[in-house]
Amino acid sequence: MKRSRKRANDRRRLRHTSKRKPRRFPASNGRSSRKKASKSTQTALRRRRSRKKKLYPVAVNDKLRGQMRNSSDDRNKLQRAYESGYKEGIYQGGEAIVEQWIPAERILPELTVSDLIQAGVLQCQSSMLEIAEARKVAEEIKKAMDETRAFSLVRLGDGELLTLAYNTIKSPIEAHELGAFLPYEGVPLPDASVQAALIQSVKKADYVGVPKSRRPEFQMLLFSVSRYYGWNLTDTKLTNSLINYEIHHSGMLLPLLAGRRVLLIGNKALETAGVLRKQWVNVTGCISPVLGFEDIERVLAECRKHQFDVVLVAAGVAAVVLCQRIASEYEAVALDIGHLADEMIKKDLSISSI
C-alpha cells in the first residue's frame, strides 16, 4: 500500500511539473515494472528541479546585482575624482599662477585667466613666427615643378620630435613611454646616427611642417629640440605639420600632379597608385616596402630606375630624410604625404563598396 501511494503521488507531481504526459510502463513484470516506473519518475523530477535551479538562480542573481551596484559605485567615485582633479588642474594651471603675480595688498576684478592670456599674447606678436598656409605652399610646389628644380616638404610630428629628443632632451624611460610606436615608424632606438641624419635633413628642407598644438609632446618639444640642436626656427620656412591633408582636402593636390610623372614610395605605395590612377594621375613607379631608416640607401638607389617629376613619400620618420635627399640628389620635388596615403586608400575602398 505504501509503495502504491508513493507511485501515485510521484505521478501527480510529474503532471504538474511537465507538459508531457508521464511515460507509462507495461505492468507485465509486476514488481520489476514498478521499480522502473519509480526510478523513471524520480529521474524526471530531478531533471525538472535542476532546470528550475538553472532558470531561477536566486543566489547567483543576488550576487550579480551586488557586483553591478559595486561597479556602478566605483564608476561614480572615479567620475567624481576625475571632475575634482580636473577642476584643481584648471585652477593650478590658471588662477593660481595669476595669484603669484598679483601683489598681496591687491585684487584683480573682472578679468579672467583667458583675458590675461589674450592680453599677454598680443604683447608678444613681434616674437611670433609665420606658418605658411596651404595655398602658399601649393604655389611654391607648382613653381618648383614648372622650373624643374629641387623642392622638399617635410613634416615633424610627435614621432620625429621624440626621435630627436631620445636620450638628449628626454631620458630613455620618458622617450620609450611617449614613443612606444617608434619601432613601427622605422626608428631603431637608441641611435645617434638616426638623430644626426634627421636633424640635418630638417635644416636643409625647403619647407618644414611643425605642430600647431602647444601640448608638451608637440610645440613644447619642438622648441626644446630646436634649441638643443642649434636649429634656428626663424631662418626656416614653416608650415602646418598637417599640410599634407590641407592641400588634399582643399582640392589642390590632384591639379598639382596633373601632367607630372609621379613616383610613390612607402609600404602602401601600390594601393595608393591604384587610387591615383583612377584620378588619371601618371604614376610611373612604386618603391615598396620601406623598412625604416636602415632602408634609406636602398630606396635612394631604387629611384634611379624610375623617371619622375614629383615623389610622394609615406614612410614614417624616414620620410623626412628621403624627401630632402631625393629632392637634393635628383633635382625633383619630394613631398612627405604621411598617413594621407592611408586616408586616400580607405576613402577609395568605402566608395568602391557602395
Side-chain angles (χ1 to χ4, degrees), residues 288-354:
S288 182
V290 178
L291 306 177
F293 265 77
E294 298 175 356
D295 218 15
I296 287 176
E297 297 302 328
R298 181 192 67 82
V299 172
L300 289 170
E302 283 279 322
C303 290
R304 297 191 185 97
K305 301 177 183 179
H306 303 276
Q307 293 183 337
F308 54 87
D309 303 307
V310 58
V311 184
L312 304 181
V313 184
V317 178
V320 174
V321 177
L322 283 170
C323 284
Q324 185 274 317
R325 289 189 58 184
I326 289 171
S328 176
E329 296 175 21
Y330 290 93
E331 288 292 315
V333 171
L335 310 176
D336 175 7
I337 63 169
H339 287 294
L340 175 60
D342 298 290
E343 181 185 286
M344 293 167 70
I345 294 167
K346 185 176 180 181
K347 185 176 180 180
D348 180 66
L349 289 174
S350 64
I351 291 173
S352 301
S353 63
I354 295 176

Side-chain angles (χ1 to χ4, degrees), residues 13 25 69 114 176 178 232 323:
R13 290 194 199 100
F25 295 92
R69 281 195 297 269
S114 180
H176 277 297
L178 292 171
N232 191 349
C323 284

Side-chain angles (χ1 to χ4, degrees), residues 58-78 80:
V58 177
V60 174
N61 283 347
D62 288 343
K63 185 178 180 181
L64 288 174
R65 279 193 288 269
Q67 291 175 350
M68 290 172 66
R69 281 195 297 269
N70 292 337
S71 177
S72 178
D73 291 342
D74 290 342
R75 283 196 297 269
N76 291 336
K77 288 178 182 177
L78 286 172
R80 288 194 295 270

Side-chain angles (χ1 to χ4, degrees), residues 37-97:
S38 178
K39 289 179 180 178
S40 175
T41 303
Q42 291 173 3
T43 302
L45 285 169
R46 280 196 297 268
R47 288 177 179 169
R48 186 64 179 175
R49 292 189 192 107
S50 176
R51 287 194 198 108
K52 283 186 176 182
K53 288 178 182 177
K54 290 178 182 177
L55 289 171
Y56 308 101
V58 177
V60 174
N61 283 347
D62 288 343
K63 185 178 180 181
L64 288 174
R65 279 193 288 269
Q67 291 175 350
M68 290 172 66
R69 281 195 297 269
N70 292 337
S71 177
S72 178
D73 291 342
D74 290 342
R75 283 196 297 269
N76 291 336
K77 288 178 182 177
L78 286 172
Q79 182 64 28
R80 288 194 295 270
Y82 170 81
E83 291 172 357
S84 175
Y86 180 80
K87 291 177 181 177
E88 181 63 19
I90 291 291
Y91 167 72
Q92 292 294 340
E95 300 292 359
I97 297 174

